[in-house]
């Protein structure tokens, strides 16, 4: 059965280009100049159908080709109708909106698009590498710390390469967000190392974030606190979203170039193993590192220890050598004495030992010794090791008074809600002392006060102070001590007093700080308005570590001067003063030392009191010797009660 097909232009037409010329002329002619189509002879029209055999149909069904003299095939030129179709297609394409990127910028600027794509990929890689390599301590961040090769990057690449497309995208988002979250945790560690010389505790430290917000409010005002919190929240979102997008970007690039990505990952894995095995170093820095994995392992271990710490502490809580001692046998060596336990905020060993502070502190301590001797007092000093450094005064106070190592917030909550007796509550238990607390740093409800066995508590609202705050400190130390004299100690015909006194003027940020004035000029505290105006600006002070250290030293000097002057002015033959630091200051002052020692001094008029502690090996005077014994702070309660039980 014969088949029909379109006839092709003749070879002569191809040679002369007649067909093309005619089509081009017709296409170029304006519509208004073109007349009606002329009738063509049926033999000349390209629409003529000719019978062909089946084999010829197969040839015409394929691409239009012509035979070359050497036998090879050549593509045939388009027919007139095909040229018209191509022209129409090009015209329609030119009328379509540009595609590629926002507003088609990728199409219009292909080189820029390629540069942006490469730059974005590089930026994503740098972001993730930095998140993996950055240390969690500011003092360990150096340029060399980023010229290392993290094995975790290779592991992440392998995971993303073996997953199918849908799973890969989901896992990339999750892993990216996780890397960002650990970067945030490292930032928290940096802050905690700078203030507490320890990492952030994922189990116990969340409550401290609200304390940090309160500290910001006291330092820079309510608006500054709000701005800081908003900034932190926005930064958190940006880090999590940025790291997730970066991981997705890199996973997509690897998927598009899978063969190359696989080969590169294998090569890098082999290189890492070789460098790690040989401990290869560049500029003293080990090239192959697994620091990120170590960081995560340590975090998991900290959490496990934190969750198990509660059971350990509860067992310790029930061990008390004096729990069954009759009240009339407690603290018999101090009966009739006024015993004052006084904490000087941030009074650490650095204030005495540091060469840049020692000369001025030595002069202050010698002046204090002279005042006390002039009033008939003597003193001995030693060292205690605090459970905290940089901050966390309440943990140190509860450690000193409870005889337990209260190193975190969970332990603090446990002990303050228990029936564990404290040094102060044992004084109360005897019935021989009236127990009071002077706590100027407390500005809201303090339910823990009952736990410490205090009959009456005077916080910042009960001391009669109408002057200004000095940064965090609501009441200057000198005024707090004068208020204690007016409210309790100076009363006639009173019972012996046991007092817990917190001197807070040396609390961070140490600017501005008060200075001592004549005691009879204190009044209601309004005199301190002018003193504050003359003080330093904390914003300016904290721009320089040297100035911070100077202001810290001045704050400690002020607290010691206030206390020794009060003793000279109001102390008597029955006064026994125990004063100590609660913890070392922040690393900006200590230089990052791990030393947690704080000085402790006992001052008494009655020589029998100091005779009882002669076996402790302490140093005469207000300054403990460098080689004086160091006692763990949680051991002091039992030693003190044992010494003065007779």
């Amino acid at each position: 059965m014969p088949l029909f097909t379109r006839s092709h232009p003749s070879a002569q037409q191809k040679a002369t280009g007649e067909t093309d010329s005619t089509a081009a002329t017709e296409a170029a002619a304006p519509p208004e100049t073109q007349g009606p189509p002329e009738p063509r002879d049926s033999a000349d029209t390209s629409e003529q159908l000719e019978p062909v055999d089946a084999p010829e149909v197969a040839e015409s069904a394929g691409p239009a080709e012509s035979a070359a003299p050497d036998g090879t095939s050549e593509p045939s030129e388009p027919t007139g109708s095909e040229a018209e179709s191509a022209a129409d297609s090009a015209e329609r394409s030119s009328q379509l909106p540009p595609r590629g990127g926002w507003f088609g910028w990728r199409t219009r600027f292909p080189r820029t698009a390629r540069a942006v794509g490469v730059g974005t990929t590089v930026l994503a890689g740098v972001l993730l590498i930095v998140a993996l390599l950055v240390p969690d301590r500011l003092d360990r961040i150096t340029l060399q710390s980023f010229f290392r090769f993290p094995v975790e990057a290779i592991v992440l690449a392998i995971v993303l390469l073996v997953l199918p497309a849908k799973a890969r995208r989901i896992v990339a988002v999750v892993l990216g967000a996780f890397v960002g979250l650990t970067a945030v945790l490292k930032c928290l560690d940096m802050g905690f190392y700078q203030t507490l010389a320890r990492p952030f505790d994922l189990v116990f430290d969340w409550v401290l974030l609200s304390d940090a917000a309160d500290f910001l409010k006291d330092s820079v005002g309510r608006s500054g606190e709000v701005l800081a919190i908003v900034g932190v929240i926005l930064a958190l979102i940006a880090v999590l979203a940025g790291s997730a997008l970066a991981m997705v970007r890199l996973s997509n690039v690897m998927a598009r170039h899978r063969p190359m990505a696989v080969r590169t990952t294998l090569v890098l894995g082999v290189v890492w193993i070789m460098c790690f095995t040989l401990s290869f170093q560049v500029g003293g820095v080990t090239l192959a590192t697994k620091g990120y994995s170590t960081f995560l392992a340590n975090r998991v271990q900290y959490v496990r220890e934190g969750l198990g710490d509660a059971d350990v502490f509860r067992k310790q809580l029930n061990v008390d050598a004096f729990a069954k001692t009759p009240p009339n046998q407690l603290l018999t060596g101090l009966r009739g004495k006024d015993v004052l336990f006084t904490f000087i905020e941030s009074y650490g060993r650095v204030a005495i030992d540091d060469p840049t502070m020692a000369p001025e502190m030595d002069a202050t301590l010698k002046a204090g010794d002279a005042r006390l001797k002039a009033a008939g007092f003597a003193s001995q000093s030693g060292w205690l090791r605090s459970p905290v450094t940089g901050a966390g005064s309440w943990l140190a106070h509860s450690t000193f008074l409870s005889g337990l190592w209260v190193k975190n917030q969970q332990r603090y909550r446990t002990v303050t809600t228990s029936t564990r007796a404290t040094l102060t509550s044992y004084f109360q238990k005897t019935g021989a002392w009236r127990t009071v607390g002077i706590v100027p740093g407390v500005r809201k409800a303090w339910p823990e006060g009952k736990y410490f066995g205090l009959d009456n508590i005077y916080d910042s609202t009960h001391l009669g102070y109408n002057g200004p705050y000095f940064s965090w400190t609501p009441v200057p130390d000198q005024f707090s001590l004068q208020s204690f004299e007016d409210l309790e100690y100076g009363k006639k015909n009173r019972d012996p007093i046991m007092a817990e006194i917190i001197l807070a003027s040396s609390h961070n940020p140490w600017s501005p700080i008060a200075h001592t004035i004549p005691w009879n000029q204190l009044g209601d505290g309004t005199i301190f308005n002018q003193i504050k105006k003359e003080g330093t600006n904390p914003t300016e002070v904290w721009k320089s570590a040297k100035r911070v250290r100077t202001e810290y030293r001045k704050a400690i000097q002020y607290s010691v001067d206030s206390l020794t002057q009060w003793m000279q002015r109001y102390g008597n033959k029955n006064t026994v003063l125990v004063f100590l630091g609660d913890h070392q200051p922040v690393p900006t002052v200590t230089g990052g030392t791990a030393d947690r020692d704080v000085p402790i001094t006992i001052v008494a008029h009655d020589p029998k009191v100091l005779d009882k502690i002669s076996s402790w090996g302490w140093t005469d005077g207000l300054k403990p010797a460098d080689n004086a014994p160091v006692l763990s702070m949680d051991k002091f309660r039992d030693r003190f009660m044992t010494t003065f039980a007779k």
Side-chain angles (χ1 to χ4, degrees):
M1 178 177 180
L3 299 177
F4 296 89
T5 181
R6 295 179 187 271
S7 62
H8 293 280
S10 65
Q12 181 179 2
Q13 287 176 321
K14 288 184 179 181
T16 60
E18 178 182 348
T19 303
D20 293 344
S21 174
T22 303
T25 302
E26 291 177 355
E32 61 271 23
T33 62
Q34 292 181 353
E38 297 179 0
R40 298 181 182 181
D41 188 85
S42 60
D44 296 331
T45 179
S46 62
E47 302 296 332
Q48 181 181 359
L49 300 179
E50 298 178 354
V52 296
D53 296 332
E56 294 178 349
V57 173
E59 292 179 1
S60 65
E65 296 178 348
S66 61
D70 57 359
T72 60
S73 62
E74 293 181 354
S76 63
E77 297 182 11
T79 64
S81 60
E82 291 172 343
E84 291 177 2
S85 177
D88 292 342
S89 178
E91 182 179 357
R92 286 193 302 269
S93 297
S94 65
Q95 295 175 354
L96 292 175
R99 302 174 65 181
W102 293 339
F103 308 107
W105 72 274
R106 291 183 181 274
T107 303
R108 295 196 300 272
F109 308 104
R111 292 184 179 179
T112 303
R114 285 194 297 271
V116 170
V118 172
T120 304
T121 302
V122 171
L123 184 61
V126 170
L127 175 64
L128 294 177
I129 291 296
V130 168
L132 294 175
L133 289 178
V134 65
D136 61 348
R137 294 181 57 166
L138 289 175
D139 57 343
R140 293 180 180 175
I141 297 180
T142 62
L143 185 61
Q144 292 82 356
S145 62
F146 295 99
F147 287 93
R148 295 180 295 165
F149 189 9
V151 67
E152 296 80 13
I154 300 173
V155 174
L156 289 174
I158 294 173
V159 171
L160 295 175
L161 285 171
V162 300
L163 292 174
K166 184 176 181 180
R168 186 188 70 247
R169 288 190 291 269
I170 296 174
V171 171
V173 171
V174 174
L175 290 178
F178 179 78
V179 172
L181 193 61
T182 55
V184 172
L185 179 57
K186 288 182 178 181
C187 291
L188 285 173
D189 282 355
M190 293 177 194
F192 270 68
Y193 273 116
Q194 284 298 105
T195 55
L196 303 176
R198 64 170 178 82
F200 179 78
D201 193 319
L202 285 166
V203 179
F204 303 121
D205 282 345
W206 296 105
V207 68
L208 299 183
L209 298 181
S210 63
D211 295 332
D214 291 340
F215 177 78
L216 280 174
K217 182 173 65 176
D218 296 335
S219 301
V220 296
R222 178 63 177 172
S223 58
E225 176 198 13
V226 172
L227 288 175
I229 293 175
V230 171
V232 168
I233 293 174
L234 292 178
L236 175 62
I237 295 173
V239 170
L240 295 181
S243 58
L245 291 174
M247 189 71 75
V248 171
R249 174 79 181 186
L250 293 178
S251 68
N252 290 339
V253 171
M254 289 190 296
R256 288 198 300 269
H257 307 282
R258 184 180 180 83
M260 180 181 294
V262 171
R263 290 194 297 270
T264 302
T265 302
L266 291 175
V267 171
L268 292 178
V270 172
V271 171
W272 188 93
I273 293 173
M274 293 177 61
C275 291
F276 184 78
T277 304
L278 299 175
S279 299
F280 184 73
Q281 294 185 345
V282 176
V285 177
T286 302
L287 186 62
T289 178
K290 56 177 182 176
Y292 185 76
S293 300
T294 302
F295 169 78
L296 295 180
N298 290 339
R299 280 293 167 205
V300 172
Q301 184 63 26
Y302 291 156
V303 170
R304 291 178 60 186
E305 291 177 355
L307 296 175
D309 182 68
D311 294 334
V312 174
F313 188 65
R314 287 192 187 95
K315 294 178 181 178
Q316 298 172 353
L317 196 68
N318 297 323
V319 179
D320 188 347
F322 300 93
K324 297 181 180 180
T325 303
N328 61 355
Q329 297 179 23
L330 294 170
L331 300 162
T332 55
L334 292 171
R335 297 299 173 103
K337 306 292 184 184
D338 295 315
V339 184
L340 316 177
F341 294 102
T342 305
F343 295 91
I344 297 180
E345 176 69 36
S346 301
Y347 182 25
R349 185 164 192 154
V350 66
I352 295 174
D353 286 356
D354 189 274
T356 63
M357 305 183 202
E360 292 84 357
M361 278 303 304
D362 282 348
T364 296
L365 295 176
K366 287 179 181 178
D369 276 328
R371 292 190 193 101
L372 295 175
K373 288 180 180 178
F377 290 96
S379 60
Q380 290 188 14
S381 302
W383 302 105
L384 295 180
R385 179 154 297 139
S386 175
V388 294
T389 183
S393 302
W394 61 96
L395 304 181
H397 299 174
S398 55
T399 294
F400 179 82
L401 297 174
S402 70
L404 295 171
W405 193 250
V406 185
K407 63 180 181 179
N408 55 50
Q409 193 66 19
Q410 181 62 45
R411 288 192 170 202
Y412 178 76
R413 289 177 176 175
T414 301
V415 71
T416 54
T417 55
S418 71
T419 58
R420 169 83 178 193
T422 64
L423 183 56
T424 47
S425 65
Y426 273 127
F427 274 91
Q428 184 187 52
K429 185 178 180 180
T430 65
W433 283 273
R434 171 174 167 77
T435 58
V436 299
I438 306 296
V439 287
V442 175
R443 286 163 283 178
K444 53 187 178 181
W446 189 44
E448 297 93 333
K450 294 182 179 180
Y451 165 74
F452 291 106
L454 302 175
D455 296 325
N456 200 4
I457 297 174
Y458 298 92
D459 60 22
S460 61
T461 63
H462 295 93
L463 296 177
Y465 181 69
N466 292 318
Y469 275 33
F470 282 80
S471 188
W472 183 88
T473 309
V475 185
D477 291 348
Q478 187 181 10
F479 194 95
S480 297
L481 291 168
Q482 182 62 53
S483 296
F484 171 58
E485 165 67 20
D486 297 339
L487 296 170
E488 289 286 347
Y489 201 76
K491 291 182 178 179
K492 296 181 180 180
N493 302 319
R494 59 171 176 76
D495 292 332
I497 289 178
M498 191 290 307
E500 178 187 354
I501 303 173
I502 312 297
L503 300 182
S505 288
S506 52
H507 190 286
N508 181 343
W510 311 302
S511 178
I513 54 176
H515 59 77
T516 56
I517 60 176
W519 291 80
N520 56 9
Q521 296 181 14
L522 288 172
D524 65 352
T526 54
I527 191 174
F528 285 100
N529 284 307
Q530 184 60 34
I531 295 175
K532 181 178 180 178
K533 291 179 181 179
E534 297 169 354
T536 54
N537 186 331
T539 303
E540 294 299 320
V541 168
W542 280 84
K543 291 180 180 179
S544 166
K546 182 178 179 181
R547 290 196 65 184
V548 170
R549 292 161 63 83
T550 299
E551 295 303 306
Y552 163 76
R553 185 255 302 162
K554 290 180 179 179
I556 297 297
Q557 288 179 279
Y558 169 70
S559 297
V560 172
D561 281 339
S562 298
L563 188 55
T564 55
Q565 287 183 23
W566 184 90
M567 282 289 289
Q568 181 186 31
R569 185 177 179 88
Y570 297 115
N572 57 55
K573 64 180 181 180
N574 290 321
T575 305
V576 177
L577 170 66
V578 181
F579 76 93
L580 66 150
D582 48 13
H583 55 73
Q584 287 263 59
V586 295
T588 304
V589 178
T590 63
T593 178
D595 193 324
R596 297 188 176 189
D597 295 350
V598 297
I600 180 170
T601 300
I602 296 181
V603 182
H605 195 285
D606 186 351
K608 294 180 181 179
V609 173
L610 296 184
D611 288 344
K612 290 181 180 293
I613 67 169
S614 58
S615 62
W616 292 8
W618 285 13
T619 308
D620 290 337
L622 299 181
K623 179 183 177 181
D626 291 342
N627 60 351
V630 179
L631 181 69
S632 181
M633 191 176 280
D634 60 323
K635 305 299 181 184
F636 181 84
R637 187 203 75 157
D638 287 4
R639 175 178 285 193
F640 186 86
M641 293 187 64
T642 300
T643 300
F644 291 102
K646 50 186 176 180

